[in-house]
Amino acid sequence: MAPAPSIPKAAFWMALSIASFLAMSVAGRATTAELNVFQVLELRSVIGFFILLPLVMMSGGFAAMRTRRPLAHIARNVIHYTGQAAWLYALTLIPLAVLISIEFTTPIWTAILAVSFLGEKLSRPRLAAIVLGLVGVVVIVRPGVGSIDPGHLVVLGAAVCFGISLVLVKSLTRTDSVVRIIFWMLVIQSAVGLVPALYEWRNPSLALWPWIFVIAFTGMSSHFCLARALVYADATIISPMDFLRVPLSALVGWLLYSEQIDIFTAGGALLILMGNLLNLQRKAVKPAEMAAS
C-alpha cells in the first residue's frame, strides 16, 4: 500500500533533500579547488557505487540489474555526465545563487524536449512557462550589457544536458526500476570518466577526503530524499519547497564566500521559478523520474 499523504513528512524529506543539495554545492567547491572536475566526478561515482550496493542486493542483486536497453542508458549517462561536469566547473566561476537559479531552467528545457521527442502537447501553461524561463535567463545573463560571464553559459549548457537526461530517464522508467537506472548511471559514468580523471590525477590531501565523501553521499541522498518527499505529496507541493534552494544558496554564498546578489539575478530567478510553477500545473512528476534524474 502507498503511504498516506502527509505534508509534515514531505516537508521533512524535502528539508533533507535541500540540505543535501546545499552540502553538495559546498563540497563541490571545496573539492574542485584542489582536484580537477573529472577526478571529482570519478571519485563521486565510484564511492557512490559502493554506497548503492546494499540497495542493489536488496533489489535482487546484480542479476536484477540486467537491462534490455543498454544504448539508452549509455546515451543518457554520457549526456548526464557532461551536464555534471559543466555544473561542477560553473561552480568555480559564478555565485551559488546564480548557478542554482539558472539550473532551475532544467524543467523548461525538459518541456521543450518532451514536446519534440516524447510527443507531449504544447499547452498554453507550458508555453508560458518556457517563455518566462527564457526571459528569466536573459535577465540574469543580460547579453549586450558588457561581456557575458562564461560561467552563465556553462551552467546553462549543464541545464540543457540535465533536461535531455530527464527526458531519457522518463523513457527508461517505462522499463527499468529506479535502482537499476541509478546502478547503470554509476557504472557507466565511472567508465566514461576514468580516462579524463587519470589524465591529471592528483592524490587528494587527507583534509579533502571528508569533502569527497560528502559529495559522493549527497549526490545520492539529495535525489533519494526528493523521491521520498514525492511519495507523501504531489510535485505541485514539493517543487515550491525545492525553490527554497535559491535564497538558501544565496545565504550560503554570502556567509561562506561573501558573494553578493544583484537585482537582475533576483528578478531573473523569480521569473524562472514562476515558469516552473506554471509547468507544474500540467502534471505531477513521478518519484521515479526525480530520483534518477
Side-chain angles (χ1 to χ4, degrees):
M1 293 179 62
S6 171
I7 299 299
K9 290 182 179 179
F12 170 76
W13 285 107
M14 272 310 299
L16 293 180
S17 176
I18 291 171
S20 294
F21 276 117
L22 293 175
M24 182 170 58
S25 299
V26 175
R29 184 163 286 184
T31 51
T32 52
E34 182 176 322
L35 308 176
N36 71 72
V37 167
F38 301 111
Q39 185 175 346
V40 173
L41 286 175
E42 186 66 17
L43 289 169
R44 175 185 168 180
S45 294
V46 172
I47 295 171
F49 176 81
F50 288 101
I51 294 174
L52 184 71
L53 270 183
L55 195 55
V56 170
M57 295 299 107
M58 291 171 58
S59 301
F62 293 115
M65 298 299 107
R66 293 176 182 172
T67 179
R68 288 179 287 181
R69 303 179 64 189
L71 294 180
H73 281 282
I74 292 172
R76 182 257 164 169
N77 283 294
V78 168
I79 294 168
H80 191 249
Y81 179 88
T82 303
Q84 286 186 312
W87 188 89
L88 268 179
Y89 179 57
L91 194 60
T92 68
L93 301 175
I94 57 177
L96 278 176
V98 177
L99 180 142
I100 299 300
S101 297
I102 298 178
E103 182 195 348
F104 265 110
T105 62
T106 295
I108 309 300
W109 308 118
T110 303
I112 295 173
L113 293 163
V115 170
S116 303
F117 297 103
L118 297 182
E120 296 186 6
K121 295 180 180 180
L122 185 62
S123 61
R124 288 183 180 179
R126 176 179 267 179
L127 180 60
I130 292 171
V131 171
L132 281 172
L134 295 177
V135 172
V137 171
V138 171
V139 171
I140 293 174
V141 177
R142 301 194 299 282
V145 181
S147 58
I148 297 177
D149 192 318
H152 293 162
L153 300 181
V154 173
V155 72
L156 189 60
V160 173
C161 287
F162 292 152
I164 298 172
S165 173
L166 186 55
V167 170
L168 291 172
V169 167
K170 285 184 177 182
S171 175
L172 284 168
T173 53
R174 297 170 182 170
T175 57
D176 290 356
S177 68
V178 177
V179 175
R180 186 183 298 164
I181 292 172
I182 297 177
F183 172 84
W184 285 110
M185 177 187 78
L186 296 172
V187 170
I188 293 170
Q189 292 191 19
S190 294
V192 168
L194 181 60
V195 172
L198 292 176
Y199 184 72
E200 293 185 9
W201 185 271
R202 295 179 59 186
N203 291 326
S205 64
L206 187 62
L208 196 64
W209 276 105
W211 289 116
I212 292 172
F213 280 102
V214 167
I215 198 170
F217 179 78
T218 55
M220 303 287 294
S221 64
S222 56
H223 294 291
F224 175 81
C225 293
L226 181 58
R228 291 297 300 167
L230 284 162
V231 170
Y232 293 105
D234 290 339
T236 50
I237 295 172
I238 294 303
S239 284
M241 297 181 191
D242 194 30
F243 296 160
L244 288 172
R245 274 200 289 149
V246 176
L248 289 176
S249 63
L251 178 62
V252 170
W254 178 68
L255 289 174
L256 298 184
Y257 312 112
S258 300
E259 295 174 350
Q260 303 297 320
I261 301 301
D262 58 32
I263 191 171
F264 293 101
T265 298
L270 182 60
L271 288 171
I272 292 169
L273 299 187
M274 288 173 60
N276 278 305
L277 286 172
L278 280 174
N279 197 40
L280 281 171
Q281 301 306 312
R282 176 177 54 88
K283 67 173 185 178
V285 182
K286 294 180 180 178
E289 295 169 3
M290 294 299 293
S293 64

